Amino acid sequence: MLLLPLLLLAVIVPGGENEDAFQGPTSYRSIQTFTIANGTWAQYKVSGWLDDFQIHGWDNDSGKAIFLKPWSKGNFSNEELIELEDLFQAYFIGLTKELQDYVSKVQTEYPFVIQCIGGCELHSGKSIGSFLRGALGGLDFASFKNHSCAPAPEGGSRAQQFCAFASQYKGIQGIIETLLSDTCPRFLLGVLDAGKAELQRQVKPEAWLSSDPSPGPGRLLLVCHVSGFYPKPVWVMWMRGEQKQSGTRQGDTVPNADGTWYLRVTLDVTAGEETGLSCRVKHSSLGDQDIIVYWGHPTSVSLIFLAILVPSLVLLICLALRFLRRRSFQSIS
Ligand SMILES: *[C@@H]1O[C@H](CO)[C@@H](O)[C@H](O)[C@H]1NC(C)=O
Ligand SMILES: *[C@@H]1O[C@H](CO)[C@@H](O)[C@H](O)[C@H]1NC(C)=O
Ligand SMILES: *[C@@H]1O[C@H](CO)[C@@H](O)[C@H](O)[C@H]1NC(C)=O
Ligand SMILES: *[C@@H]1O[C@H](CO)[C@@H](O)[C@H](O)[C@H]1NC(C)=O
């Protein structure tokens, strides 16, 4: 009976410190993947993200950005966006061609994949930092640091040659610098503001408990399910009173179809030791009112017994009394 999730009682109590103040995403990044199959065949794919939330795609045929949200344009005018699209289109085509020419000169083997990630992020204290990094075949290759190309150690001599080659193109470096230190920060602040109703929404989690098949003789695997919350950061811990249970194991936070998140947190315990355990959930949507779900809490069980048993007993006794009284009237008459 104690194992029945039905008997679990969720309560909301004021919690202690809330470890972080979550205010939605803090970075914009554009990810570009170039796949060069041979000297004549190449393709690229591009997307734009606020942290792990995609807001831009790229239509290769028209050379235009795809705005995935009504607010994906931030506060940029259509003129500025078209300028940027033209710039990116020229860069993608130009870079792909340059890479093919360059590679045929230094005789790198085909096929190869280049991944670039560039963008900017808000730091605490409101300063904004930018970054641009490239990887070749899945290894760091070079990055753009302090206004110039810096080879990554993993890139070896090829990365050094590449940066020496790239440093001849002062004009391109200037454009990259402007994009990173001016365009990106302006765009980030504008789009975070335009999308704030969606990005900063707070959706409260629900929590419930169950048990998984026993991990071994005399053992129980308790599962705390936390679902339907947004944003993603959440703190979930199995507790005994105020004591955190160090055996708590956290799964991956996986997405629900409605954009909220789901997390399972388990605890492997010796059978019989599960009474008195609880699952505690802290989330920004809850303020300092943590959710606490008790595993077969004794008071909850007795409360439920009292709530069901007492009225049933009273009813039974009343019925019995009436029956007996009627019987006695009948026997008198
Ligand atoms: C280049 O690669 C593409 C895609 O893999 C292939 O269809 C094409 O035949 C290749 N061309 C040459 C000249 O190898
Ligand atoms: C993207 O467009 C360019 C030029 O418009 C073309 O050369 C390339 O093959 C296209 N790639 C894909 C994946 O469609
Ligand atoms: C950045 O580069 C300049 C020269 O271009 C150099 O004087 C400066 O020390 C560099 N700063 C850092 C932090 O590397
Ligand atoms: C967009 O908003 C940012 C931050 O408020 C501001 O710096 C910028 O000037 C605004 N407009 C444009 C076109 O960037």
Side-chain angles (χ1 to χ4, degrees):
M1 272 295 266
L2 286 181
L3 294 182
L4 285 182
L6 277 179
L7 293 185
L8 302 164
L9 181 73
V11 289
I12 290 188
V13 299
E17 36 15 295
N18 213 336
E19 258 116 77
D20 278 299
F22 306 111
Q23 288 296 325
T26 54
S27 68
Y28 176 76
R29 61 197 69 212
S30 164
I31 302 181
Q32 302 137 28
T33 311
F34 299 85
T35 309
I36 318 268
N38 51 44
T40 52
W41 194 96
Q43 73 165 23
Y44 56 85
K45 290 191 174 148
V46 187
S47 55
W49 303 74
L50 290 173
D51 288 2
D52 53 12
F53 191 85
Q54 189 181 356
I55 59 166
H56 295 147
W58 184 262
D59 178 15
N60 187 51
D61 294 328
S62 63
K64 298 275 174 220
I66 301 167
F67 298 98
L68 299 174
K69 291 282 169 187
W71 43 264
S72 293
K73 293 181 177 182
N75 63 349
F76 277 23
S77 64
N78 282 330
E79 290 75 33
E80 183 161 17
L81 287 170
I82 289 169
E83 251 176 61
L84 285 168
E85 284 169 338
D86 290 348
L87 181 64
F88 277 107
Q89 174 76 339
Y91 154 74
F92 296 142
I93 293 176
L95 184 65
T96 312
K97 234 185 126 16
E98 280 293 331
L99 286 169
Q100 276 171 317
D101 292 351
Y102 177 71
V103 166
S104 59
K105 271 184 219 132
V106 300
Q107 292 167 351
T108 301
E109 277 173 29
Y110 292 112
F112 64 97
V113 177
I114 293 180
Q115 292 158 289
C116 291
I117 180 163
C120 51
E121 68 191 322
L122 273 173
H123 297 309
S124 53
K126 299 216 167 167
S127 70
I128 299 183
S130 320
F131 50 88
L132 174 60
R133 296 190 296 273
L136 173 63
L139 284 179
D140 277 342
F141 187 72
S143 61
F144 194 76
K145 265 192 202 132
N146 192 18
H147 318 292
S148 63
C149 180
E154 297 92 323
S157 60
R158 263 194 286 174
Q160 287 169 358
Q161 284 164 23
F162 171 79
C163 281
F165 167 78
S167 64
Q168 303 163 9
Y169 293 87
K170 294 282 177 232
I172 294 178
Q173 288 195 19
I175 293 172
I176 294 176
E177 188 64 43
T178 309
L179 285 174
L180 289 176
S181 61
D182 172 58
T183 316
C184 187
R186 270 194 299 122
F187 180 75
L188 175 65
L189 291 176
V191 82
L192 288 181
D193 189 54
K196 72 177 170 216
E198 186 163 352
L199 295 168
Q200 296 185 12
R201 74 191 200 277
Q202 294 285 336
V203 190
K204 289 183 182 171
E206 279 178 53
W208 68 96
L209 309 181
S210 69
S211 67
D212 264 10
S214 170
R219 302 207 65 82
L220 276 177
L221 191 66
L222 312 184
V223 187
C224 179
H225 305 260
V226 182
S227 183
F229 54 93
Y230 186 91
K232 193 176 180 182
V234 68
W235 182 95
V236 183
M237 185 63 76
W238 278 99
M239 314 280 290
R240 186 179 297 283
E242 287 300 309
Q243 201 172 358
K244 294 174 190 168
Q245 300 299 294
S246 57
T248 300
R249 293 281 169 273
Q250 189 158 327
D252 291 332
T253 308
V254 292
N256 284 321
D258 61 1
T260 64
W261 297 95
Y262 185 112
L263 174 68
R264 270 172 61 100
V265 173
T266 59
L267 185 66
D268 182 346
V269 293
T270 309
E273 287 188 353
E274 67 276 19
T275 6
L277 286 171
S278 61
C279 175
R280 186 167 195 147
V281 182
K282 293 174 190 280
H283 186 259
S284 51
S285 63
L286 300 169
D288 55 6
Q289 305 268 294
D290 298 355
I291 293 179
I292 300 185
V293 195
Y294 289 95
W295 185 269
H297 194 276
T299 57
S300 73
V301 174
S302 37
L303 275 179
I304 288 168
F305 271 128
L306 281 181
I308 297 170
L309 268 182
V310 171
S312 325
L313 273 178
V314 169
L315 195 71
L316 268 178
I317 291 169
C318 289
L319 285 174
L321 282 177
R322 267 175 76 167
F323 181 74
L324 284 176
R325 201 177 292 171
R326 200 172 296 164
R327 280 274 300 262
S328 54
F329 278 130
Q330 279 167 354
S331 57
I332 287 171
S333 53

